[in-house]
Amino acid sequence: MSTYRSPFDRLRAKFDEAELECRQCGFHDESGGWQVTSSGDRVQYRFVCPSCDAVETREMRL
């Protein structure tokens, strides 16, 4: 694992380690992860539950 990852990659890794349980149905996704998109002044982290399709988002403004 590279020590030169961006702060956004490190935050996504933190979400992947700790926040893979759906708040809607309680399903714990062992193989999933958060998707990351950016649009200039915002970075959005998104998790879609494979069981119930609920969407969880976290957004950072730059």
Side-chain angles (χ1 to χ4, degrees):
M1 184 175 292
S2 174
T3 59
Y4 297 105
R5 294 188 311 171
S6 76
F8 303 112
D9 287 336
R10 291 194 309 264
L11 185 56
R12 183 182 64 200
K14 180 182 177 198
F15 289 154
D16 285 347
E17 290 174 7
E19 300 191 32
L20 290 178
E21 185 171 314
C22 178
R23 292 183 185 202
Q24 297 295 316
C25 72
F27 180 77
H28 186 78
D29 188 4
E30 296 282 334
S31 62
W34 288 74
Q35 301 168 350
V36 181
T37 58
S38 64
S39 60
D41 64 345
R42 296 173 191 249
V43 178
Q44 186 179 64
Y45 296 85
R46 183 173 177 229
F47 174 74
V48 179
C49 177
S51 178
C52 72
D53 293 325
V55 177
E56 180 112 17
T57 59
R58 305 280 191 280
E59 184 175 274
M60 294 181 61
R61 294 181 189 182
L62 305 175

